[in-house]
Amino acid sequence: MDNKNLNQFLKRLEPLQRVVIQAHDFPDHDAVSSAYGLSIILQSLGMKTLIVYNGNIDRISLSNMIKWLDIPILHCSKAELTPNDKIITVDGCIGEKNVTDMPGDEIAVIDHHAITPPNNLWFCDIRPHYGATATIIYEYFQLLNIEIPKSVATALLVGLNIDTANLTRGFCDADIKSFIAFNQIVDLNLVNRICRNSLIANELISFQHVCDDVNNTNGIATVLLKEPCAKNLLGVLADFLLSVNEYDIVIVAMNYNQGIQLSLRSECPKVNVGKLLREALNHKQRGFGGGHAHMAGGFILSDKVQHFIKGSDAHFSPLIEKISSSR
Ligand SMILES: [Mn+2]
């Protein structure tokens, strides 16, 4: 990314009445903080912005972050978007299943997932080797020579910390640079209070279910939750299982909208779980999924569930077989 591209894009945005910034559905901390950071950049250049999302904000740490930092973000049902709106998607890409097609034109994508953007965008900045979109936003502040407000740095550091599990997965040198810069600006007590309080008491039961029902197949931990939980809790449960020494790949699943929602983790260098889900689901028309090498999410369509689960036997054979053959 160079200064020229970014500046040309910003010039093109200037005449707009407002710029809509869309986080991916069921947004996480990185999506919300990146949308927030970008909105502050555009506002400091004199533009009006609106941050929107679809789905739910289902982690207490994220609703705390939004409340404590007073981040203005609206559910799309309350945003009254029109076909004239111009939309920038952050931490996700239009065309992906986790990005709702809202009224308005998608004109730009800023993301760190391995995705294929549509043609004809005004601006496209996709860096799959980055640990967080927050780091891309940090670089925009630098390039434009705009001072990062404390509340923005605080949010972005939360996004970076959570997406990279505190710089232990999927990060690059740029993330380390932004991490150091954020640390010099943030309210560190607030960052840590947001990150530490990641659960509500009634979510503990899901950990019990995970412990009761987890299966181990050659280091691949699989579990189908006996009761569904918040969508974004699945990833927290997957991280929990990955912390077990004997497991280096984790599949956590639950029933969701007649199909099966999945969260995967891998600490095996030979197994890219984002690629695994795209091949096992998207390419076979059995569902959709994607993400990163170390962490990924997906959904199995209702009429394809039988390939993965028979009666009470959640065998996930297509995934297990693919994993076993690649290591
Ligand atoms: Mn992210």
Side-chain angles (χ1 to χ4, degrees), residues 32-107:
V32 172
S33 67
S34 297
Y36 178 42
L38 183 63
S39 76
I40 296 298
I41 289 175
L42 299 184
Q43 283 172 25
S44 74
L45 299 170
M47 292 175 235
K48 288 200 171 67
T49 60
L50 179 66
I51 306 173
V52 298
Y53 72 99
N54 195 13
N56 301 328
I57 288 171
D58 66 6
R59 303 310 313 142
I60 188 67
S61 50
L62 183 55
S63 48
N64 283 342
M65 182 179 98
I66 291 167
K67 189 166 67 185
W68 294 341
L69 297 175
D70 208 9
I71 298 174
I73 181 167
L74 271 186
H75 192 272
C76 59
S77 63
K78 294 181 186 139
E80 296 180 355
L81 297 187
T82 76
N84 293 325
D85 272 308
K86 303 286 186 236
I87 303 172
I88 303 173
T89 58
V90 294
D91 200 38
C93 183
I94 190 67
E96 295 290 307
K97 286 288 178 187
N98 67 340
V99 175
T100 297
D101 189 1
M102 296 184 187
D105 280 344
E106 291 77 20
I107 53 158

Side-chain angles (χ1 to χ4, degrees), residues 24 28-31 34 91-92 111-113 131-134 159 163 292 295:
H24 61 70
D28 62 5
H29 309 73
D30 187 36
S34 297
D91 200 38
D111 194 8
H112 72 125
H113 295 88
T133 303
D163 257 23
H292 308 278
M295 69 176 177

